[in-house]
Amino acid sequence: PLSSRIHALASANGVVLAGGGWDEDGYVGAQLARSTDGGVNWTKPSLPGSNINIHGFANNGSNWVAVGRNGYVVTSSDNGASWTQRTS
């Protein structure tokens, strides 16, 4: 689903998220892919910010948090369909 290496993968509430941003040639841009059908089909929600790389996800049952390099933090309250950048 991504044009970079996958650095983070998580699943909750019927949603699978994959994140990355780097490949063997260097930085390719922030990458996040979302699936609601177990990975059969993927969409790429827009991420705010630049020069980031998703390293991890967390879910508390109703909200997602994604973290990346240099203190990058984004949150989603709609199961990963849209994301808002936060101050770390």
Side-chain angles (χ1 to χ4, degrees), residues 27 30 48-52 72 85:
Y27 185 69
S50 61
N51 196 26
I52 57 167
Y72 182 76
Q85 190 167 1

Side-chain angles (χ1 to χ4, degrees), residues 19-42:
W22 292 86
D23 68 12
E24 57 276 355
D25 297 321
Y27 185 69
V28 296
Q31 303 266 318
L32 185 135
R34 175 181 183 260
S35 176
T36 58
D37 58 9
V40 174
N41 297 290
W42 294 86

Side-chain angles (χ1 to χ4, degrees), residues 17 54 56-60 63-67 72-76 83:
L17 297 176
I54 301 297
F57 296 105
N59 180 279
N60 70 359
N63 296 297
W64 282 96
V65 176
V67 296
Y72 182 76
V73 177
V74 288
T75 60
S76 175
W83 295 84

